[in-house]
Amino acid sequence: MSGTFVGMPAFPKAAHEAVHDDTLRGNLRHATHTIRDKRARAVDELADFALLREAGKQIKDHTLRHLDRYLVQLEESVTAAGGTVHWAADADEANRIVADLVKATGQSEVVKVKSMATQEIGLNEALEAEGIAAYETDLAELIVQLGHDRPSHILVPAIHRNRGEIRDIFAREMGSWGRPAPDGLADSPAELAEAARLHLREKFLRAKVGISGANFMVAETGTLVVLESEGNGRMCLTLPETLISVVGIEKIVPTWRDLEVFLQTLPRSSTAERMNPYTTTWTGTTDGDGPTTFHLVLLDNGRTDTLADTVGRQALRCIRCSACLNVCPVYERAGGHAYGSVYPGPIGAILSPQLRGTASEIDASLPYASSLCGACYDVCPVAIDIPEVLVHLRERVVQGGEVTSGGAKVRLKPAKGHAAERAAMRAAGWAFARPAALRAGQRFASRTRRLHPRKLPGPGKAWSASRELPKVPAESFRDWWQRTNGGTTGKSPNSGTSGKGGAAK
Amino acid sequence: MRVALFLTCVNDTLYPDTGRAVVKLLTRLGVEVDFPMAQTCCGQAHYNTGYRHQAEPLARHFSDVFGEYEAIVTPSGSCGAMVKELYPRLGERARAEGRGDSLAQALAPVVPKTYELTEFLVDVLGVTDVGAYYPHSVTYHPTCHGLRGLRLGDRPRRLLEAVQGLDLVELPGAEECCGFGGTFAVKNPDVSAAMGADKVRNAESTGAEALCAADNSCLMHLGGTMARLRTPLRPVHIAEILASTEEEPLA
Ligand code: SF4
């Protein structure tokens, strides 16, 4: 149903179209600017946000350091509470486990709570291949699913769509999935929400199996936690007989007390709300209330490999608030699809090449999908230094080196296509280590300045296609300094200066 | 006070006027300026593009050239941030890779002595009114490395506000990146150009005559965009404004 990310072109190419799509850029610009301003206000309200941010970072780091211990504790707690725990090393294994569990219930349809983990593994497509229909119930996910589209934002997967487009999708598609959209549907938020509500209600009441992810898992009690705004998730978590939750292993917190921090930072960072409207927690099964069968599928899918990297592992602190997307100037112009993953934006640029490796064209290009402006780091509620990880991954792409893959240490070769750049960097390094060589180069550039082309060849072409090149001056600063003794002698434009002579070394 | 001017390779090669302005300004404020001729490049482009190992000898060279000075002043937020933020990381990573402490030890002394120009003026010299005269309307772009790297805060604005005749106008979306990002401009040309064009349009909307920043790398990108978009705006480095006086106005 939703499209796939396999075989994506590299980021610059994928971004090219988005940049020139005026509707898309308008939609994205409006949405990201609105939410980022609101977030800033919501965060400013808390005098201790900086402390909460530090606390969140510490809790996550501590948990990741002792992940093995907390995972075992979680499994014991979940089992004791009447749930069943399954371990999935990768996407295929997780999909197989879930498909088998659904088939064992004899059902051929499931309702879904919005979940990044199930998107990451392509669960809907895998279930479809087994003859099981998976219905998304989050409003934005529903829009994406009905539109045969791909999500483009962590929190607002349909952020690239405006109301008019959504109305058209509802009117056209709802009928073939269940209750059709009312006749004469308008594009006001209230009417669109009502159409979705009516469409989804019959699914909630019919479904016997619900599938979810979780924002947090509390190790001490085996409790899972979902935060949401619409309440549709809560319907899926409470109405079906069987509940299957697929959760990344990094989502653990040790105790209930730790939630205190994240229940403050996550809503403010993501939806700019003081508190999210619906927080649902569930612990195993309870007689006479909620699902009677509960399965937890713990997903690795590249996470322990990421954990082995001392710089890159901080990406696993992410609580998927999407604040970094909303402030990112690159995301705003390139759109979410260009990142070739369910994780777009700055966090996607560091998470995907770690979870999937840097072998594909798109993954090797993602560490460069940033101007390193640092806005993402500033807003991140768990202080992930995204620019630091980006540069670290660039190093991996251009130089290769040792990484952990599938639990084993492997040596990566440099990615293709960087040979010319590597040579240029070496040459520049050579010249910069020799001031005389740098100076000779400057003089050559000055002497030939009238011959310089207005358009650059090779990789520089991209620059001169949209910007004028700076003109090389007749004299470099160091030549001026030496000729005039720092402006104290000789003719100079600033003859009033009296700097001391240049102690040439 | 005797300080070393770290001009950066970009300014030295392409923007010598900025260097001359810094010399003129600091000399006027009674600071003795030296330009160590052996200086080259801080290694930022290498580091940020993924060639950390190639940045290391350049960092060492920097500490050899500048180590003996009381203070090192640079009119570039991004190169300043390279020294102050990333040199310590170079040392740490070398240590983590089992290559010993020698790089960290070599770099440690130069890091605290390095100042971006506006930081040096406000924090070290303790001035905000540098006696400049610049009778134009100006809008100020804080640049990412100045804003989020070095945390320059309102220092540049305070300096500009004290300039006689200068009309400082607010830049919408001032804190957004201009889209340069070093090799980003070449590796992601479409996005980079779109960011630059938005920045220029925002600056244009203020009606200012000049767009000012404390980094010629961003100004090169924005100046190139202005020329292509044929706006009447002109790019100007803050050092050149601060060096300009009634007797000797900026050329
Ligand atoms: S990286 Fe930080 S800001 Fe971005 S989604 Fe994750 S927690 Fe939020």
Side-chain angles (χ1 to χ4, degrees), chain A residues 357-376:
Chain A
T358 49
S360 74
E361 208 189 332
I362 180 78
D363 287 315
S365 73
L366 286 177
Y368 292 93
S370 165
S371 64
L372 304 180
C373 83
C376 48

Side-chain angles (χ1 to χ4, degrees), chain B residues 81-101:
Chain B
M82 176 67 195
V83 175
K84 293 181 82 75
E85 256 196 302
L86 303 178
Y87 276 12
R89 260 184 216 170
L90 278 181
E92 275 166 40
R93 292 283 288 152
R95 191 182 298 153
E97 284 169 10
R99 290 186 285 123
D101 258 351

